[in-house]
Amino acid sequence: MSDSFLVAAALLLAPVLGAPAPAPQVTAPASFGPDSQVSASIQPSTTGYRIEALENGYTSATYHGPYTGTPTTIGAAPGPTTLGASIPTLPPNPTATYYNTKGVPLNPLPAPFVPQGGLGTNGTLPRYMVESDFDFESISLGLYQEWIELDLFHDGLARFTDKEFDAAGLGAEARSLIEFMADQETGHSTLLTNMLGERAPKQCVYDYPYRTVREWIDFMQRVTRFGESGVWGFINHLDSREVGQLLAQSIATEARQQMIFRQMSGLTPMDVWFENGWPQSWAWTMLAQYISYCPENTTRLAWQNFPTLHILNNANINRYSPNDTAQDGSETVGRRITDPSVSNITGSCEHINATGYGCGPAIAHNKSEPLSFAGKKVLFQWDAPGQAVGPNNSYVTSTTAGAPKFVGWSQQLNLTYSPLTVTGNNSGYTYQPEGFVYGTEGIINGTMAVMLTDLDLFVTPFNTSMLNPHIVALGLYQAG
């Protein structure tokens, strides 16, 4: 058996995990790839703060808070040069003409029971390594995501007491499930590190917004939304089909996590027919705001950070009457894109035992009053570009768009638009549009991306990133 086969197979092996919960760190391997094509001597990942075990037996980093230093590097990772201002729009691929009118194979079979076609089907030994700058930057973004989830899932378990969890309706078995999801991130981060090589990003220090168990759970259902959608948006554009295969097996787990956190938040676990894919810059915009700082020489990303779109009347998921949510943004914990709903409110649905109104943890809830609806007036404020964000405050928000004219709603298989009415300096509103995927299935639902644009550009799930040059600001909408 060849060494290359053994190394390729080893990438699929997950670490053995046991109790108590491991500290949110992963030991980096000493070499990477088939035939050890990348030789390296890696120092263990460190956040600069020790991991401590708290009284409830869970572990977390000793510091979570804002960055207080001065950045030594500014901006996204540059290339040797930039060849154009944007990617041009081209006609369809002239070779994409296959259409089967007979319902049987039209070409000779390469082997018994093997139809002609497909990629990576000719018997070549798989190489589970990134194959381009696009692959490297995309998988590095994915690793940044896995690192924050590894820390985030552990932190809430360590931060809150058993009594606080019980009061939120999450007993020991629910906490054990969250601990297992934290352990899953150990495997995910190890896998992505192996596929990147010696410059794989390290774990960082994070700054979280939540103050209660419910806010923590709500925050996690939002974080896993942009983590999942951010991968669906690029996975089929990867040059390495092998990397895409393993990444798909990882992100399928992420989808389950997002559904579970929705259930724990009292939301409907599944409210769409199709999950939505997002460009990398959308996910990075949302993720970067919660990274305080990273170890020296941590690999930087090339993706864009958009200005924040604040949705002032984003439905509070903790209200039994979501339409009573304040109109001034005060029912969101903070001012970052995916901050959770404030949980300590009068009129909470958390402990209501009434069909259609309760929102305690459950397999499923129906809502007598929906979180949003077609025709709802949605109020916006948006930040100007040029804000320092991300690790070490070393990235800068930017936009190449003109004045905002439309609101883009990205969900399911669609990106639809509604007109924006500007009411003042960086403020305005729109009305939530109605639209259907198939039949009577509405487009807008769930936890979804919204954005201000200067153009109602037609895009589809495979080329959504063509909209990036036209985005003025980006937000997260709690539609259902």
Side-chain angles (χ1 to χ4, degrees), residues 218-233:
D218 183 11
F219 182 61
M220 289 192 292
Q221 71 90 8
R222 297 171 195 246
V223 169
T224 50
R225 165 47 51 227
F226 65 70
E228 179 191 349
S229 288
V231 169
W232 294 138

Side-chain angles (χ1 to χ4, degrees), residues 126 150 227 311 352 364:
L150 178 60
I311 304 168
I352 292 179

Side-chain angles (χ1 to χ4, degrees), residues 149-172:
E149 290 171 352
L150 178 60
D151 181 85
L152 172 62
F153 297 177
H154 278 288
D155 180 63
L157 291 171
R159 182 181 301 198
F160 301 111
T161 66
D162 291 353
K163 183 178 180 180
E164 289 174 302
F165 276 108
D166 291 339
L170 299 172

Side-chain angles (χ1 to χ4, degrees), residues 92-385:
N93 184 341
T95 64
T97 59
Y98 178 88
Y99 185 74
N100 191 326
T101 61
K102 298 181 178 181
V104 296
L106 304 180
N107 300 287
L109 276 61
F113 314 109
V114 181
Q116 182 270 336
L119 298 175
T121 61
N122 62 357
T124 302
L125 183 69
R127 178 179 186 265
Y128 294 101
M129 291 288 291
V130 293
E131 292 287 358
S132 65
D133 288 348
F134 182 91
D135 287 10
F136 184 87
E137 293 293 332
S138 300
I139 301 303
S140 291
L141 169 62
L143 184 52
Y144 269 96
Q145 179 76 28
E146 304 297 356
W147 282 134
I148 194 173
E149 290 171 352
L150 178 60
D151 181 85
L152 172 62
F153 297 177
H154 278 288
D155 180 63
L157 291 171
R159 182 181 301 198
F160 301 111
T161 66
D162 291 353
K163 183 178 180 180
E164 289 174 302
F165 276 108
D166 291 339
L170 299 172
E173 291 175 318
R175 298 195 291 274
S176 178
L177 176 58
I178 297 173
E179 182 181 6
F180 179 74
M181 289 191 282
D183 293 344
Q184 288 176 323
E185 301 308 326
T186 302
H188 297 174
S189 53
T190 300
L191 172 68
L192 270 60
T193 296
N194 288 344
M195 295 191 296
L196 284 166
E198 61 188 279
R199 288 312 305 267
K202 305 299 190 295
Q203 193 175 31
C204 301
V205 175
Y206 307 98
D207 182 15
Y208 299 134
Y210 49 81
R211 304 158 302 181
T212 67
V213 171
R214 278 192 67 84
E215 289 172 2
W216 175 56
I217 297 294
D218 183 11
F219 182 61
M220 289 192 292
Q221 71 90 8
R222 297 171 195 246
V223 169
T224 50
R225 165 47 51 227
F226 65 70
E228 179 191 349
S229 288
V231 169
W232 294 138
F234 72 72
I235 191 168
N236 285 311
H237 292 286
L238 292 171
D239 289 287
S240 173
R241 310 301 292 180
E242 302 95 323
V243 168
Q245 174 65 48
L246 300 191
L247 184 61
Q249 294 175 232
S250 166
I251 208 61
T253 302
E254 183 104 355
R256 289 163 171 79
Q257 292 174 349
Q258 209 270 336
M259 186 182 78
I260 290 169
F261 290 137
R262 285 183 61 87
Q263 290 175 310
M264 291 180 174
S265 298
L267 297 169
T268 301
M270 294 187 294
D271 48 16
V272 292
W273 288 5
F274 305 94
E275 298 299 343
N276 195 231
W278 301 354
Q280 296 93 326
S281 290
W282 299 12
W284 178 233
T285 295
M286 297 188 188
L287 168 59
Q289 297 185 1
Y290 300 97
I291 304 176
S292 178
Y293 75 86
C294 295
E296 187 177 0
N297 295 323
T298 295
T299 294
R300 299 178 64 78
L301 296 184
W303 308 112
Q304 185 175 3
N305 296 88
F306 293 107
T308 296
L309 175 62
H310 305 281
I311 304 168
L312 301 182
N313 58 340
N314 219 355
N316 188 331
I317 70 166
N318 303 298
R319 284 199 172 276
Y320 64 77
S321 180
N323 290 307
D324 289 339
T325 300
Q327 305 290 293
D328 59 0
S330 61
E331 292 197 28
T332 299
V333 170
R335 296 279 293 173
R336 289 175 286 180
I337 291 181
T338 62
D339 283 354
S341 298
V342 171
S343 64
N344 294 325
I345 58 171
T346 302
S348 172
C349 55
E350 182 178 0
H351 299 295
I352 292 179
N353 186 21
T355 301
Y357 292 95
C359 66
I363 293 175
H365 279 296
N366 288 327
K367 290 285 189 182
S368 296
E369 182 178 313
L371 269 65
S372 75
F373 51 90
K376 175 182 176 179
K377 187 176 183 178
V378 184
L379 308 176
F380 299 117
Q381 288 180 350
W382 55 95
D383 292 347

